[in-house]
Amino acid sequence: MTNFDKEFEEIVNNLHGKKKLLLHSCCAPCSSSVLERLKDNFDVTVFYYNPNIAPFSEFERRLKEQIKLLEKLKISYIIGEYKHEDFLNAIKGFESYPEGSLRCRHCYYFRMKELARLAKDRSFDYFTTTLSVSPHKNAQWINEIGKELEKEFDVKFLTSDFKKKNGYLRSLQLSQEYGLYRQEYCGCMPRKKGDNEASSN
């Protein structure tokens, strides 16, 4: 098994000056400890892009918490468009698969591809995601996808496994410290009638 945290440290130790990093964030709690770890070596901009979240009211609640944290930390951010239908198309055929299955891999790819595209368009030095801070997310898949997108978009992917070095535990501590709302599910819940009523806004 690849030690992605070791690769992360090797990249950081060989940096010359702060690099511009576009960080995909799934939510405020997960981004808290990741930002703490990145802030000394990168000029971070957070990209909140999560059309997988349903219902839309939950997406809005998490976005509000994300903005609250980023403004407190004085971190710049970009809000991605919410089009839940795009997510549903990305996981078509895998809708009934459980969390941790190939449905998740398709979801990672869907969000990270938009991240890489934006990083390329806006001339960032690196891109990466907070997803690996969760013990429920597959760091192997996340990093494989990142390396694939690095080649496709010609922008560097920052290898990582942010749950290492007690990253997840630290996110719990910081969430309490900042008074952040912690959701009870990832976001990719089976959609019910009416869940996506505001998705075009």
Side-chain angles (χ1 to χ4, degrees), residues 14-180:
N14 286 287
L15 291 175
H16 299 286
K18 277 195 172 184
K19 301 299 181 182
K20 289 175 57 182
L21 170 69
L22 186 62
L23 173 68
H24 164 259
S25 175
C26 54
C27 63
C30 286
S31 67
S32 62
S33 65
V34 175
L35 287 167
E36 185 176 67
R37 192 166 182 197
L38 293 171
K39 63 182 175 63
D40 291 337
N41 297 290
F42 295 93
D43 178 9
V44 182
T45 296
V46 167
F47 180 41
Y48 182 83
Y49 180 65
N50 303 291
N52 57 304
I53 297 172
F56 183 69
S57 57
E58 179 69 19
F59 171 87
E60 287 190 306
R61 185 175 185 182
R62 296 186 198 186
L63 174 58
K64 182 180 178 181
E65 289 298 291
Q66 181 71 87
I67 292 173
K68 179 176 77 173
L69 174 66
L70 296 176
E71 292 187 345
K72 186 176 186 65
L73 298 176
K74 295 181 171 55
I75 302 288
S76 60
Y77 57 88
I78 300 167
I79 302 170
E81 191 171 5
Y82 182 88
K83 286 188 175 180
H84 193 62
E85 291 87 351
D86 290 348
F87 162 71
L88 294 176
N89 287 332
I91 63 161
K92 195 166 186 177
F94 296 90
E95 296 92 339
S96 63
Y97 282 47
E99 184 170 2
S101 68
L102 284 175
R103 175 170 62 86
C104 290
R105 196 182 198 286
H106 284 280
C107 183
Y108 301 161
Y109 182 84
F110 165 68
R111 288 183 282 171
M112 289 176 67
K113 185 172 184 178
E114 183 63 14
L115 170 71
R117 182 199 65 75
L118 187 62
K120 176 66 175 180
D121 288 350
R122 301 204 182 185
S123 301
F124 281 86
D125 299 306
Y126 286 88
F127 71 96
T128 197
T129 175
T130 63
L131 288 169
S132 69
V133 78
S134 169
H136 304 295
K137 301 294 183 287
N138 188 318
Q140 183 73 36
W141 285 350
I142 292 165
N143 284 282
E144 286 175 357
I145 292 167
K147 288 297 184 182
E148 179 183 337
L149 294 171
E150 175 180 87
K151 293 177 182 177
E152 181 177 349
F153 289 92
D154 192 29
V155 60
K156 292 178 183 177
F157 173 70
L158 180 61
T159 306
S160 59
D161 189 352
F162 290 120
K163 70 177 68 66
K164 300 297 184 181
K165 294 184 171 63
N166 291 318
Y168 179 67
L169 175 61
R170 183 59 178 154
S171 75
L172 297 179
Q173 294 169 340
L174 288 170
S175 294
Q176 186 172 22
E177 181 180 324
Y178 291 123
L180 299 175

